[in-house]
PDB file of all heavy atoms in Angstrom:
ATOM      1  N   GLU A 248     231.296 136.413 -57.087  1.00  0.00           N
ATOM      2  CA  GLU A 248     231.522 137.889 -56.992  1.00  0.00           C
ATOM      3  C   GLU A 248     230.349 138.565 -56.320  1.00  0.00           C
ATOM      4  O   GLU A 248     230.533 139.540 -55.475  1.00  0.00           O
ATOM      5  CB  GLU A 248     231.722 138.442 -58.341  1.00  0.00           C
ATOM      6  CG  GLU A 248     232.071 139.851 -58.435  1.00  0.00           C
ATOM      7  CD  GLU A 248     232.302 140.406 -59.820  1.00  0.00           C
ATOM      8  OE1 GLU A 248     232.309 139.557 -60.806  1.00  0.00           O
ATOM      9  OE2 GLU A 248     232.503 141.629 -59.995  1.00  0.00           O
ATOM     10  N   SER A 249     229.119 138.099 -56.578  1.00  0.00           N
ATOM     11  CA  SER A 249     227.963 138.771 -56.005  1.00  0.00           C
ATOM     12  C   SER A 249     227.797 138.474 -54.437  1.00  0.00           C
ATOM     13  O   SER A 249     227.361 139.298 -53.687  1.00  0.00           O
ATOM     14  CB  SER A 249     226.696 138.232 -56.735  1.00  0.00           C
ATOM     15  OG  SER A 249     226.739 138.646 -58.065  1.00  0.00           O
ATOM     16  N   VAL A 250     228.237 137.244 -54.092  1.00  0.00           N
ATOM     17  CA  VAL A 250     228.260 136.980 -52.640  1.00  0.00           C
ATOM     18  C   VAL A 250     229.180 137.821 -51.858  1.00  0.00           C
ATOM     19  O   VAL A 250     228.894 138.407 -50.846  1.00  0.00           O
ATOM     20  CB  VAL A 250     228.736 135.434 -52.400  1.00  0.00           C
ATOM     21  CG1 VAL A 250     229.049 135.186 -50.968  1.00  0.00           C
ATOM     22  CG2 VAL A 250     227.591 134.488 -52.925  1.00  0.00           C
ATOM     23  N   VAL A 251     230.355 138.087 -52.467  1.00  0.00           N
ATOM     24  CA  VAL A 251     231.349 138.993 -51.797  1.00  0.00           C
ATOM     25  C   VAL A 251     230.858 140.435 -51.745  1.00  0.00           C
ATOM     26  O   VAL A 251     230.926 141.070 -50.767  1.00  0.00           O
ATOM     27  CB  VAL A 251     232.688 138.988 -52.635  1.00  0.00           C
ATOM     28  CG1 VAL A 251     233.697 140.056 -52.010  1.00  0.00           C
ATOM     29  CG2 VAL A 251     233.350 137.614 -52.522  1.00  0.00           C
ATOM     30  N   SER A 252     230.160 140.815 -52.739  1.00  0.00           N
ATOM     31  CA  SER A 252     229.605 142.174 -52.841  1.00  0.00           C
ATOM     32  C   SER A 252     228.457 142.337 -51.739  1.00  0.00           C
ATOM     33  O   SER A 252     228.493 143.283 -51.092  1.00  0.00           O
ATOM     34  CB  SER A 252     228.964 142.408 -54.209  1.00  0.00           C
ATOM     35  OG  SER A 252     228.414 143.740 -54.272  1.00  0.00           O
ATOM     36  N   GLU A 253     227.623 141.342 -51.567  1.00  0.00           N
ATOM     37  CA  GLU A 253     226.517 141.443 -50.692  1.00  0.00           C
ATOM     38  C   GLU A 253     227.093 141.425 -49.206  1.00  0.00           C
ATOM     39  O   GLU A 253     226.551 142.152 -48.338  1.00  0.00           O
ATOM     40  CB  GLU A 253     225.481 140.397 -50.894  1.00  0.00           C
ATOM     41  CG  GLU A 253     224.654 140.473 -52.164  1.00  0.00           C
ATOM     42  CD  GLU A 253     223.237 140.148 -52.041  1.00  0.00           C
ATOM     43  OE1 GLU A 253     222.856 139.749 -50.891  1.00  0.00           O
ATOM     44  OE2 GLU A 253     222.427 140.140 -52.996  1.00  0.00           O
ATOM     45  N   LEU A 254     228.021 140.596 -48.972  1.00  0.00           N
ATOM     46  CA  LEU A 254     228.638 140.490 -47.672  1.00  0.00           C
ATOM     47  C   LEU A 254     229.358 141.803 -47.319  1.00  0.00           C
ATOM     48  O   LEU A 254     229.437 142.213 -46.185  1.00  0.00           O
ATOM     49  CB  LEU A 254     229.470 139.349 -47.541  1.00  0.00           C
ATOM     50  CG  LEU A 254     228.699 137.994 -47.468  1.00  0.00           C
ATOM     51  CD1 LEU A 254     229.633 136.795 -47.356  1.00  0.00           C
ATOM     52  CD2 LEU A 254     227.715 138.003 -46.366  1.00  0.00           C
ATOM     53  N   ARG A 255     229.984 142.477 -48.370  1.00  0.00           N
ATOM     54  CA  ARG A 255     230.653 143.766 -48.146  1.00  0.00           C
ATOM     55  C   ARG A 255     229.542 144.777 -47.643  1.00  0.00           C
ATOM     56  O   ARG A 255     229.920 145.592 -46.876  1.00  0.00           O
ATOM     57  CB  ARG A 255     231.302 144.238 -49.384  1.00  0.00           C
ATOM     58  CG  ARG A 255     232.621 143.528 -49.633  1.00  0.00           C
ATOM     59  CD  ARG A 255     233.243 143.959 -50.976  1.00  0.00           C
ATOM     60  NE  ARG A 255     234.563 143.389 -51.106  1.00  0.00           N
ATOM     61  CZ  ARG A 255     235.221 143.318 -52.307  1.00  0.00           C
ATOM     62  NH1 ARG A 255     234.608 143.786 -53.348  1.00  0.00           N
ATOM     63  NH2 ARG A 255     236.409 142.741 -52.369  1.00  0.00           N
ATOM     64  N   GLU A 256     228.367 144.747 -48.268  1.00  0.00           N
ATOM     65  CA  GLU A 256     227.273 145.607 -47.879  1.00  0.00           C
ATOM     66  C   GLU A 256     226.877 145.316 -46.404  1.00  0.00           C
ATOM     67  O   GLU A 256     226.689 146.283 -45.673  1.00  0.00           O
ATOM     68  CB  GLU A 256     226.100 145.605 -48.758  1.00  0.00           C
ATOM     69  CG  GLU A 256     226.399 146.138 -50.272  1.00  0.00           C
ATOM     70  CD  GLU A 256     225.195 145.891 -51.129  1.00  0.00           C
ATOM     71  OE1 GLU A 256     224.116 145.465 -50.619  1.00  0.00           O
ATOM     72  OE2 GLU A 256     225.225 146.147 -52.268  1.00  0.00           O
ATOM     73  N   GLN A 257     226.891 144.078 -46.027  1.00  0.00           N
ATOM     74  CA  GLN A 257     226.531 143.786 -44.676  1.00  0.00           C
ATOM     75  C   GLN A 257     227.581 144.252 -43.691  1.00  0.00           C
ATOM     76  O   GLN A 257     227.328 144.759 -42.635  1.00  0.00           O
ATOM     77  CB  GLN A 257     226.326 142.153 -44.541  1.00  0.00           C
ATOM     78  CG  GLN A 257     225.124 141.765 -45.190  1.00  0.00           C
ATOM     79  CD  GLN A 257     224.905 140.244 -44.908  1.00  0.00           C
ATOM     80  OE1 GLN A 257     225.428 139.737 -43.879  1.00  0.00           O
ATOM     81  NE2 GLN A 257     224.174 139.606 -45.763  1.00  0.00           N
ATOM     82  N   ALA A 258     228.938 144.105 -44.151  1.00  0.00           N
ATOM     83  CA  ALA A 258     229.987 144.547 -43.281  1.00  0.00           C
ATOM     84  C   ALA A 258     229.995 146.118 -43.141  1.00  0.00           C
ATOM     85  O   ALA A 258     230.169 146.642 -41.987  1.00  0.00           O
ATOM     86  CB  ALA A 258     231.362 144.205 -43.938  1.00  0.00           C
ATOM     87  N   GLN A 259     229.539 146.810 -44.144  1.00  0.00           N
ATOM     88  CA  GLN A 259     229.420 148.275 -44.025  1.00  0.00           C
ATOM     89  C   GLN A 259     228.271 148.669 -43.090  1.00  0.00           C
ATOM     90  O   GLN A 259     228.480 149.496 -42.237  1.00  0.00           O
ATOM     91  CB  GLN A 259     229.196 148.782 -45.352  1.00  0.00           C
ATOM     92  CG  GLN A 259     229.039 150.417 -45.447  1.00  0.00           C
ATOM     93  CD  GLN A 259     230.336 150.996 -45.021  1.00  0.00           C
ATOM     94  OE1 GLN A 259     231.418 150.609 -45.454  1.00  0.00           O
ATOM     95  NE2 GLN A 259     230.318 152.071 -44.127  1.00  0.00           N
ATOM     96  N   ALA A 260     227.191 147.885 -43.182  1.00  0.00           N
ATOM     97  CA  ALA A 260     226.055 148.121 -42.203  1.00  0.00           C
ATOM     98  C   ALA A 260     226.489 147.893 -40.738  1.00  0.00           C
ATOM     99  O   ALA A 260     226.093 148.608 -39.908  1.00  0.00           O
ATOM    100  CB  ALA A 260     224.876 147.234 -42.596  1.00  0.00           C
ATOM    101  N   ILE A 261     227.205 146.778 -40.546  1.00  0.00           N
ATOM    102  CA  ILE A 261     227.742 146.493 -39.269  1.00  0.00           C
ATOM    103  C   ILE A 261     228.659 147.559 -38.676  1.00  0.00           C
ATOM    104  O   ILE A 261     228.485 148.129 -37.537  1.00  0.00           O
ATOM    105  CB  ILE A 261     228.454 145.113 -39.180  1.00  0.00           C
ATOM    106  CG1 ILE A 261     227.496 143.961 -39.459  1.00  0.00           C
ATOM    107  CG2 ILE A 261     229.118 144.927 -37.781  1.00  0.00           C
ATOM    108  CD1 ILE A 261     228.132 142.603 -39.663  1.00  0.00           C
ATOM    109  N   TYR A 262     229.551 147.984 -39.560  1.00  0.00           N
ATOM    110  CA  TYR A 262     230.506 149.088 -39.184  1.00  0.00           C
ATOM    111  C   TYR A 262     229.777 150.357 -38.877  1.00  0.00           C
ATOM    112  O   TYR A 262     230.126 151.057 -37.859  1.00  0.00           O
ATOM    113  CB  TYR A 262     231.400 149.336 -40.394  1.00  0.00           C
ATOM    114  CG  TYR A 262     232.217 150.583 -40.182  1.00  0.00           C
ATOM    115  CD1 TYR A 262     233.426 150.667 -39.406  1.00  0.00           C
ATOM    116  CD2 TYR A 262     231.918 151.777 -40.913  1.00  0.00           C
ATOM    117  CE1 TYR A 262     234.199 151.758 -39.323  1.00  0.00           C
ATOM    118  CE2 TYR A 262     232.616 152.971 -40.757  1.00  0.00           C
ATOM    119  CZ  TYR A 262     233.849 152.940 -39.969  1.00  0.00           C
ATOM    120  OH  TYR A 262     234.485 154.086 -39.959  1.00  0.00           O
ATOM    121  N   ASP A 263     228.764 150.698 -39.608  1.00  0.00           N
ATOM    122  CA  ASP A 263     228.028 151.947 -39.446  1.00  0.00           C
ATOM    123  C   ASP A 263     227.236 151.885 -38.109  1.00  0.00           C
ATOM    124  O   ASP A 263     226.963 152.957 -37.507  1.00  0.00           O
ATOM    125  CB  ASP A 263     227.094 152.152 -40.616  1.00  0.00           C
ATOM    126  CG  ASP A 263     227.703 152.525 -41.861  1.00  0.00           C
ATOM    127  OD1 ASP A 263     228.860 152.888 -41.779  1.00  0.00           O
ATOM    128  OD2 ASP A 263     227.072 152.347 -42.879  1.00  0.00           O
ATOM    129  N   SER A 264     226.875 150.779 -37.625  1.00  0.00           N
ATOM    130  CA  SER A 264     226.051 150.652 -36.452  1.00  0.00           C
ATOM    131  C   SER A 264     226.864 150.406 -35.189  1.00  0.00           C
ATOM    132  O   SER A 264     226.179 150.334 -34.013  1.00  0.00           O
ATOM    133  CB  SER A 264     225.044 149.456 -36.660  1.00  0.00           C
ATOM    134  OG  SER A 264     225.687 148.201 -36.559  1.00  0.00           O
ATOM    135  N   ARG A 265     228.158 150.214 -35.267  1.00  0.00           N
ATOM    136  CA  ARG A 265     228.978 149.970 -34.118  1.00  0.00           C
ATOM    137  C   ARG A 265     230.032 150.937 -33.804  1.00  0.00           C
ATOM    138  O   ARG A 265     230.617 151.581 -34.707  1.00  0.00           O
ATOM    139  CB  ARG A 265     229.654 148.600 -34.347  1.00  0.00           C
ATOM    140  CG  ARG A 265     228.835 147.440 -34.667  1.00  0.00           C
ATOM    141  CD  ARG A 265     228.182 146.809 -33.407  1.00  0.00           C
ATOM    142  NE  ARG A 265     229.264 146.208 -32.599  1.00  0.00           N
ATOM    143  CZ  ARG A 265     229.383 144.823 -32.607  1.00  0.00           C
ATOM    144  NH1 ARG A 265     228.634 144.077 -33.249  1.00  0.00           N
ATOM    145  NH2 ARG A 265     230.301 144.248 -31.757  1.00  0.00           N
ATOM    146  N   ARG A 266     230.252 151.232 -32.589  1.00  0.00           N
ATOM    147  CA  ARG A 266     231.291 152.203 -32.090  1.00  0.00           C
ATOM    148  C   ARG A 266     232.574 151.504 -31.771  1.00  0.00           C
ATOM    149  O   ARG A 266     233.527 152.182 -31.467  1.00  0.00           O
ATOM    150  CB  ARG A 266     230.823 153.087 -31.053  1.00  0.00           C
ATOM    151  CG  ARG A 266     229.707 154.030 -31.428  1.00  0.00           C
ATOM    152  CD  ARG A 266     229.325 154.923 -30.243  1.00  0.00           C
ATOM    153  NE  ARG A 266     228.234 155.907 -30.681  1.00  0.00           N
ATOM    154  CZ  ARG A 266     227.682 156.794 -29.858  1.00  0.00           C
ATOM    155  NH1 ARG A 266     228.225 157.007 -28.648  1.00  0.00           N
ATOM    156  NH2 ARG A 266     226.867 157.633 -30.211  1.00  0.00           N
ATOM    157  N   ASP A 267     232.516 150.237 -31.644  1.00  0.00           N
ATOM    158  CA  ASP A 267     233.753 149.418 -31.257  1.00  0.00           C
ATOM    159  C   ASP A 267     234.509 148.820 -32.517  1.00  0.00           C
ATOM    160  O   ASP A 267     235.362 147.954 -32.334  1.00  0.00           O
ATOM    161  CB  ASP A 267     233.342 148.376 -30.309  1.00  0.00           C
ATOM    162  CG  ASP A 267     232.295 147.389 -30.892  1.00  0.00           C
ATOM    163  OD1 ASP A 267     231.596 147.781 -31.909  1.00  0.00           O
ATOM    164  OD2 ASP A 267     232.207 146.166 -30.410  1.00  0.00           O
ATOM    165  N   ILE A 268     234.153 149.248 -33.697  1.00  0.00           N
ATOM    166  CA  ILE A 268     234.860 148.766 -34.878  1.00  0.00           C
ATOM    167  C   ILE A 268     235.404 149.955 -35.717  1.00  0.00           C
ATOM    168  O   ILE A 268     234.624 150.934 -35.944  1.00  0.00           O
ATOM    169  CB  ILE A 268     233.851 147.922 -35.784  1.00  0.00           C
ATOM    170  CG1 ILE A 268     233.381 146.763 -35.025  1.00  0.00           C
ATOM    171  CG2 ILE A 268     234.531 147.642 -37.148  1.00  0.00           C
ATOM    172  CD1 ILE A 268     232.265 145.990 -35.778  1.00  0.00           C
ATOM    173  N   ASP A 269     236.615 149.882 -36.034  1.00  0.00           N
ATOM    174  CA  ASP A 269     237.349 150.931 -36.915  1.00  0.00           C
ATOM    175  C   ASP A 269     237.341 150.572 -38.267  1.00  0.00           C
ATOM    176  O   ASP A 269     237.465 151.472 -39.122  1.00  0.00           O
ATOM    177  CB  ASP A 269     238.750 151.242 -36.290  1.00  0.00           C
ATOM    178  CG  ASP A 269     238.709 151.918 -34.932  1.00  0.00           C
ATOM    179  OD1 ASP A 269     237.587 152.630 -34.711  1.00  0.00           O
ATOM    180  OD2 ASP A 269     239.583 151.824 -34.149  1.00  0.00           O
ATOM    181  N   ALA A 270     237.314 149.276 -38.630  1.00  0.00           N
ATOM    182  CA  ALA A 270     237.412 148.827 -39.996  1.00  0.00           C
ATOM    183  C   ALA A 270     236.927 147.368 -40.074  1.00  0.00           C
ATOM    184  O   ALA A 270     237.317 146.525 -39.251  1.00  0.00           O
ATOM    185  CB  ALA A 270     238.862 148.989 -40.532  1.00  0.00           C
ATOM    186  N   LEU A 271     236.098 147.111 -41.125  1.00  0.00           N
ATOM    187  CA  LEU A 271     235.589 145.800 -41.351  1.00  0.00           C
ATOM    188  C   LEU A 271     235.407 145.500 -42.763  1.00  0.00           C
ATOM    189  O   LEU A 271     234.691 146.316 -43.408  1.00  0.00           O
ATOM    190  CB  LEU A 271     234.250 145.653 -40.633  1.00  0.00           C
ATOM    191  CG  LEU A 271     233.578 144.130 -40.672  1.00  0.00           C
ATOM    192  CD1 LEU A 271     234.484 143.151 -39.909  1.00  0.00           C
ATOM    193  CD2 LEU A 271     232.276 144.259 -39.993  1.00  0.00           C
ATOM    194  N   LYS A 272     236.073 144.593 -43.361  1.00  0.00           N
ATOM    195  CA  LYS A 272     236.178 144.265 -44.727  1.00  0.00           C
ATOM    196  C   LYS A 272     235.902 142.838 -45.085  1.00  0.00           C
ATOM    197  O   LYS A 272     236.155 141.928 -44.220  1.00  0.00           O
ATOM    198  CB  LYS A 272     237.463 144.719 -45.409  1.00  0.00           C
ATOM    199  CG  LYS A 272     237.885 146.108 -45.275  1.00  0.00           C
ATOM    200  CD  LYS A 272     236.943 147.105 -46.058  1.00  0.00           C
ATOM    201  CE  LYS A 272     237.400 148.479 -45.917  1.00  0.00           C
ATOM    202  NZ  LYS A 272     236.481 149.433 -46.665  1.00  0.00           N
ATOM    203  N   VAL A 273     235.240 142.610 -46.294  1.00  0.00           N
ATOM    204  CA  VAL A 273     235.096 141.235 -46.741  1.00  0.00           C
ATOM    205  C   VAL A 273     235.901 141.217 -48.009  1.00  0.00           C
ATOM    206  O   VAL A 273     235.891 142.049 -48.861  1.00  0.00           O
ATOM    207  CB  VAL A 273     233.648 140.990 -47.050  1.00  0.00           C
ATOM    208  CG1 VAL A 273     233.485 139.622 -47.751  1.00  0.00           C
ATOM    209  CG2 VAL A 273     232.749 141.009 -45.769  1.00  0.00           C
ATOM    210  N   PHE A 274     236.691 140.139 -48.205  1.00  0.00           N
ATOM    211  CA  PHE A 274     237.722 140.053 -49.306  1.00  0.00           C
ATOM    212  C   PHE A 274     237.586 138.738 -50.001  1.00  0.00           C
ATOM    213  O   PHE A 274     237.412 137.601 -49.297  1.00  0.00           O
ATOM    214  CB  PHE A 274     239.092 140.121 -48.570  1.00  0.00           C
ATOM    215  CG  PHE A 274     240.147 140.545 -49.554  1.00  0.00           C
ATOM    216  CD1 PHE A 274     240.556 141.871 -49.792  1.00  0.00           C
ATOM    217  CD2 PHE A 274     240.835 139.520 -50.324  1.00  0.00           C
ATOM    218  CE1 PHE A 274     241.452 142.170 -50.825  1.00  0.00           C
ATOM    219  CE2 PHE A 274     241.831 139.823 -51.218  1.00  0.00           C
ATOM    220  CZ  PHE A 274     242.154 141.164 -51.409  1.00  0.00           C
ATOM    221  N   GLY A 275     237.446 138.767 -51.307  1.00  0.00           N
ATOM    222  CA  GLY A 275     237.323 137.512 -52.033  1.00  0.00           C
ATOM    223  C   GLY A 275     238.502 137.246 -52.822  1.00  0.00           C
ATOM    224  O   GLY A 275     239.104 138.036 -53.485  1.00  0.00           O
ATOM    225  N   ILE A 276     238.813 135.857 -52.926  1.00  0.00           N
ATOM    226  CA  ILE A 276     239.921 135.410 -53.690  1.00  0.00           C
ATOM    227  C   ILE A 276     239.375 134.250 -54.563  1.00  0.00           C
ATOM    228  O   ILE A 276     238.901 133.171 -53.995  1.00  0.00           O
ATOM    229  CB  ILE A 276     241.153 134.890 -52.940  1.00  0.00           C
ATOM    230  CG1 ILE A 276     241.689 135.996 -52.066  1.00  0.00           C
ATOM    231  CG2 ILE A 276     242.234 134.391 -53.871  1.00  0.00           C
ATOM    232  CD1 ILE A 276     242.848 135.622 -51.220  1.00  0.00           C
ATOM    233  N   ASP A 277     239.340 134.290 -55.870  1.00  0.00           N
ATOM    234  CA  ASP A 277     238.672 133.295 -56.767  1.00  0.00           C
ATOM    235  C   ASP A 277     239.723 132.466 -57.419  1.00  0.00           C
ATOM    236  O   ASP A 277     240.472 132.948 -58.211  1.00  0.00           O
ATOM    237  CB  ASP A 277     237.902 134.080 -57.884  1.00  0.00           C
ATOM    238  CG  ASP A 277     236.897 133.135 -58.543  1.00  0.00           C
ATOM    239  OD1 ASP A 277     237.131 131.831 -58.408  1.00  0.00           O
ATOM    240  OD2 ASP A 277     235.963 133.586 -59.197  1.00  0.00           O
ATOM    241  N   PHE A 278     239.717 131.215 -57.004  1.00  0.00           N
ATOM    242  CA  PHE A 278     240.844 130.290 -57.554  1.00  0.00           C
ATOM    243  C   PHE A 278     240.353 129.688 -58.904  1.00  0.00           C
ATOM    244  O   PHE A 278     241.136 128.826 -59.429  1.00  0.00           O
ATOM    245  CB  PHE A 278     241.141 129.244 -56.521  1.00  0.00           C
ATOM    246  CG  PHE A 278     241.979 129.631 -55.423  1.00  0.00           C
ATOM    247  CD1 PHE A 278     241.408 130.330 -54.337  1.00  0.00           C
ATOM    248  CD2 PHE A 278     243.307 129.367 -55.388  1.00  0.00           C
ATOM    249  CE1 PHE A 278     242.211 130.668 -53.286  1.00  0.00           C
ATOM    250  CE2 PHE A 278     244.085 129.746 -54.289  1.00  0.00           C
ATOM    251  CZ  PHE A 278     243.593 130.386 -53.271  1.00  0.00           C
ATOM    252  N   THR A 279     239.149 130.083 -59.315  1.00  0.00           N
ATOM    253  CA  THR A 279     238.665 129.410 -60.578  1.00  0.00           C
ATOM    254  C   THR A 279     238.975 130.272 -61.844  1.00  0.00           C
ATOM    255  O   THR A 279     238.660 129.767 -62.977  1.00  0.00           O
ATOM    256  CB  THR A 279     237.133 129.176 -60.440  1.00  0.00           C
ATOM    257  OG1 THR A 279     236.493 130.433 -60.517  1.00  0.00           O
ATOM    258  CG2 THR A 279     236.839 128.400 -59.219  1.00  0.00           C
TER     259      THR A 279
END
């Protein structure tokens, strides 16, 4: 869960710094 959360923050930072991206998400599915 924490990995997904940290990568979501990275995705937001990438989105904020780029003009060629309209949406960027990280999505987690836990099979355990």
Side-chain angles (χ1 to χ4, degrees):
E248 183 178 356
S249 298
V250 167
V251 174
S252 178
E253 290 218 5
L254 290 178
R255 281 176 177 163
E256 292 180 6
Q257 290 186 22
Q259 183 64 45
I261 293 170
Y262 169 80
D263 290 341
S264 68
R265 303 278 291 258
R266 295 186 178 182
D267 58 340
I268 296 175
D269 289 335
L271 183 64
K272 299 293 184 182
V273 177
F274 198 91
I276 303 176
D277 195 343
F278 284 82
T279 70

